[in-house]
Amino acid sequence: MRYLASRLGHLLAVLFSVTILTFVLVNVLPGDIAYDIAGLDASEKEVQAIREDLGLNRPVFIRYVEWLGGVLTGDWGQSYRTGEPVLEAIMSRFPVSLELVIIAQVIALLLAVPLGVISALRANSRFDRVVAVAGFFCLSIPNFMMAIILIYVFGLWLNWLPVTGYEPISEGLWANLRNFILPASSFALAEWTVLARVLRSDMIGVLQEDYISMARAKGMPVRRILWVHAMRPSSFSLITLLGLQVGALIGGSIIIESIFALPGVGRLLVGSVFARDFLIIQGCITLIAVAYVVINFAVDVCYALLDPRVRTARSHG
Amino acid sequence: MASATTQERLDQTGNQEQENQAAQAAARKRARYGPFFWVPLIWLGTIVFCAAFADILPLQPNDEMDFTAISSPPWEAEGHIMGTDLQGRDVLSRIIYGARVSLTVGIVATVIGMTFGLMIGLLAGYYRGWVETAITLGLDTLLALPALVILLLASVIFGGSLTVVSVSLGFLLIPAFARVSRANTLNFAQREFVVAAKAMGARDVRIIVLEILPNVVLPVAAYALVVVAFAIVVEGALSFLGLSVPSPMPSWGGMIAEGRESLGETPHISFIPATVMFLTVLSFNLVGDALRSKLADLRESAL
């Protein structure tokens, strides 16, 4: 418990310093946002009024404290461009990004689990080596490049799937899903190799345990040994990694959502950076940092729950 | 039938594991000096050579538009071996000049990240206590920030240029190096030779620089080439979004993005730079991995 409490304290401190750092960064953006809002032919007085209105001429520190107070009470400010409340703007795009990340993870798992298990079972066979080399190649393809390849092959050449756009789920499940297949695959086709590697090495270890020999000795079918007895202890690192990869996917969604014109948080963020809509930027980064902290804490809790050694060892040390 | 062979495999897995480890080590040794090491090394050498001597190589100018050959595929128009892009500029020449951007950013950012990462990791690992707590907090903060967003912000704030991209990317690479460096410092800070130096009255700076640093540098530097590959990918993503070096200057990511407009008709405009970038990243990964496992073996045998 003490270990978890100190982890939580640390992660909250991280969250706090992320918001300070972003606030400072975003506030040194060049160009006066008040001029942008007022338009080209506004008088100095009007600009001054807008600045006053937005509170731009007060010190950064004061504005930060006010912003933080607002965030804690659910008021994340408003977009300078559209006047839309920040929290609403982000939350309306959030489901799209979430769906993208989940579908990407599902595709990655569909590839990684069978390949990882068979590689472990036939360690150092030709199959194992081919998978390892293929993985190495896939890892060297940046996700935006993978996106271009997928667009070319499945969108333009085979003409199977749409290359841009988004349909809400109310238009039907398939109409909604087909727009996510290519973007999600752009992530998954590189990510599976990380997952498969971890699963393979854990599985090789587990297959040497005595209880596996025991199960084998009593003549239990291999399929049952693999999926029931070996899979569960082998999947622990896999699940941890799956959680941690979400962070990488959130970062990558910025570029993938832009390429495939998916209206998610990543695309909102890129648009806002170009438009210097800084309360939106601030809100998005805060949300991403919150996600990072929550995932990390969840991973820590899992470790402590599943492995009592972690709890005791770390709280003493 | 299939399950019978699977059963056999399962039976063998346990018994063979020790042999396998020896076989694996041998395989690694072979692979290290095999084609998976030399071919990427030669490719990297070629890229570096071309980028370094781009000005004196017999290339077409990289910014001149040839209106007689717009978007012409490789080998078709005279003088354009790799064809031309949407504005009739020579693709080969732009790739080689683009290599300068990728390599510069990749290497400079890695050097910055490694230098500061090493120093910070040494301090955290040697002093422990509140120094370590503060440094860990700072590093975790950097890790919690979405890297690409920070780079976007930096290039909007300071304008996209080689210096801005290299420095801000280098900054974001600090945590990775600092973690490796801290872990290794923790390991060495309690060894006999450090204790001996302390007992003889050496000051902290002397111990860190003369006793610990030489031992920590190698394991940290072993990651450098793989990090260069990563940095090249991130620069690629940034220039793909149009936020790395300014427009007429060629960059691989920028070229890939430009070709998207007519991907169906003239795929070579995107795919040639994409292939070059892929091969370069793959080569850095392969060579880096081989060197890293060689260093790991060296250290094991030294202990």
Side-chain angles (χ1 to χ4, degrees), chain B residues 86-152:
Chain B
L86 290 167
Q87 300 175 44
R89 296 173 299 191
D90 187 59
V91 170
L92 176 64
S93 164
R94 289 181 70 73
I95 286 207
I96 290 176
Y97 279 93
R100 286 187 164 182
V101 175
S102 291
L103 290 176
T104 312
V105 171
I107 292 167
V108 172
T110 305
V111 169
I112 292 174
M114 194 167 93
T115 313
F116 287 96
L118 247 180
M119 293 196 309
I120 290 169
L122 280 169
L123 289 179
Y126 186 76
Y127 286 109
R128 315 292 307 265
W130 67 268
V131 179
E132 192 181 19
T133 311
I135 288 177
T136 316
L137 180 64
L139 294 179
D140 283 354
T141 304
L142 280 183
L143 282 176
L145 291 169
L148 203 53
V149 180
I150 301 307
L151 289 169
L152 288 179

Side-chain angles (χ1 to χ4, degrees), chain A residues 10 17 140 148 216 222 254, chain B residues 7 10 140-141 149 260 285:
Chain A
H10 173 75
S17 53
S140 297
I148 296 284
R216 230 162 33 193
V222 177
I254 292 161
Chain B
Q7 178 74 58
L10 199 61
D140 283 354
T141 304
V149 180
R260 262 179 74 199
N285 279 334

